[in-house]
Amino acid sequence: MSDHVVSLKVYVGIFLALMVLTAVTVWAAYLDLEGPLNTVVALSIAIFKATLVILLALLMADYISRPWQVLGQGW
Amino acid sequence: MSDHSHSIVEHQFDDMAQQKETTTLAMWAFLLTEVLFFGGLFGAYTMLRHRFPEAFAVASNSLDLTLGAVNTAVLIGSSLTMALAVHAAQTNKRKQIILFLVLTIALGSVFLGIKAVEYSHKFHEHHVPGASFSFTEVPDWVDPATLSYNVENATQMFFSLYFAMTGLHALHMIVGVGIMLVMIWMAYKNRFSEHYYGPVEISGLYWHFVDIVWIFLFPLLYLLGRHFGGGH
């Protein structure tokens, strides 16, 4: 288990990006886009935001930085 | 592995690393079942909105967008404080763990408080599905004569989903606040160290999941339909 610690700047950066995207999605909701495009835009932003939150969760743990292990090793 | 960390390995695990892998995997598995749980409601929303698009748009526009957006920001803020609490646990800063968990609970409570205000508005407007339901605020751009369904009845379906989805989400927030209280108590009792912070970490996974559910609820319930009828 590595003592994996991500710089606090990364957390704050993700937080700010999420806040900006929230503002963008509210702004985009008032644009009259063609057909289903409003839904596509809103959900695309939501998926992107969800990805950022998952990134926050993954950085919190050491999922990204730890080495890959071969399954079954040591069994 | 130090003696201190060894003492908190449950007897069914070989070592701390195995315990942490197992508990973390279990939380991810639980969250997958939660996706299925909420998924049914998202599926119902998709079907009904496809069938009654005008009614869903006008009912959605009756929600308070400002309060919804503020709540989105509040919840994103709570995800940040949650991540900082885990960070503090990993670096063995006990006071900071408690501080950031208290902030997480505070932001979660603000969210629930705002939600209660919104619910209260809906009760006063008779927008709560049931015997006293009434939706008279149908704007000019909707011409009931051209629709194959009753707009008022269909808006009631939107509000049923609105209360079911935000209610289930709020329930998860309340459970989350309870979990964070337990984490504060454990931190206060000095249970955590840089070798043992799994409980804070997997509680964080849960909290982030609840945040993600809201990230989808917010546009689906508050935003889609705002561009109809000339916007504002």
Side-chain angles (χ1 to χ4, degrees):
Chain A
M1 216 183 319
S2 64
D3 281 331
H4 171 84
V5 176
V6 175
S7 160
L8 293 179
K9 278 182 192 166
V10 177
Y11 294 139
V12 176
I14 291 175
F15 165 75
L16 291 175
L18 285 166
M19 292 301 236
V20 170
L21 285 167
T22 301
V24 169
T25 195
V26 171
W27 170 75
Y30 283 104
L31 304 177
D32 196 358
L33 305 174
E34 283 296 308
L37 216 55
N38 278 92
T39 309
V40 172
V41 168
L43 286 180
S44 300
I45 294 173
I47 290 167
F48 190 58
K49 284 171 74 183
T51 309
L52 286 178
V53 175
I54 292 169
L55 194 63
L56 198 63
L58 295 184
L59 289 171
M60 233 171 54
D62 59 347
Y63 302 119
I64 291 175
S65 61
R66 71 178 159 193
W68 287 80
Q69 287 175 5
V70 179
L71 275 180
Q73 227 176 28
W75 281 35
Chain B
M1 194 157 301
S2 71
D3 287 335
H4 171 69
S5 64
H6 193 74
S7 64
I8 40 187
V9 175
E10 299 288 341
H11 67 272
Q12 69 267 35
F13 296 114
D14 289 339
D15 55 34
M16 184 67 100
Q18 191 197 40
Q19 173 172 283
K20 185 148 184 290
E21 292 280 306
T22 309
T23 51
T24 307
L25 180 65
M27 180 49 94
W28 280 99
F30 169 69
L31 294 180
L32 286 177
T33 69
E34 289 274 84
V35 172
L36 299 177
F37 190 19
F38 279 98
L41 286 166
F42 280 101
Y45 170 92
T46 308
M47 260 178 58
L48 290 170
R49 178 162 173 258
H50 185 255
R51 175 70 184 83
F52 308 109
E54 299 84 0
F56 267 54
V58 296
S60 163
N61 289 354
S62 81
L63 297 179
D64 192 324
L65 179 54
T66 307
L67 291 182
V70 168
N71 251 354
T72 306
V74 166
L75 215 47
I76 289 170
S78 79
S79 261
L80 175 66
T81 56
M82 186 68 236
L84 292 173
V86 175
H87 186 273
Q90 287 168 339
T91 49
N92 204 8
K93 297 190 176 104
R94 177 165 159 269
K95 277 184 185 163
Q96 279 195 27
I97 302 174
I98 295 173
L99 169 70
F100 285 122
L101 287 176
V102 167
L103 283 174
T104 304
I105 289 178
L107 289 168
S109 305
V110 168
F111 178 95
L112 288 167
I114 290 178
K115 205 73 224 147
V117 169
E118 289 186 78
Y119 275 18
S120 153
H121 289 167
K122 286 290 139 198
F123 273 90
H124 286 297
E125 292 167 332
H126 293 275
H127 287 172
V128 181
S132 67
F133 181 83
S134 121
F135 191 89
T136 51
E137 304 91 331
V138 179
D140 294 338
W141 64 268
V142 178
D143 179 8
T146 63
L147 300 178
S148 62
Y149 61 87
N150 179 307
V151 177
E152 186 179 342
N153 285 346
T155 56
Q156 191 162 200
M157 283 188 233
F158 173 87
F159 288 113
S160 298
L161 281 171
Y162 168 75
F163 282 105
M165 295 172 101
T166 58
L168 188 62
H169 178 264
L171 184 66
H172 278 77
M173 295 283 299
I174 293 165
V175 169
V177 168
I179 292 171
M180 295 316 151
L181 286 173
V182 174
M183 290 304 118
I184 289 173
W185 180 76
M186 287 175 78
Y188 176 74
K189 291 281 176 188
N190 218 0
R191 298 278 181 82
F192 302 126
S193 69
E194 66 268 43
H195 303 292
Y196 180 69
Y197 53 83
V200 185
E201 189 178 300
I202 63 173
S203 302
L205 288 180
Y206 174 85
W207 193 268
H208 290 313
F209 169 80
V210 177
D211 186 17
I212 287 173
V213 171
W214 182 260
I215 282 172
F216 284 98
L217 288 180
F218 173 61
L220 291 177
L221 296 174
Y222 289 77
L223 294 181
L224 297 177
R226 294 284 166 183
H227 61 290
F228 286 113
H232 312 248

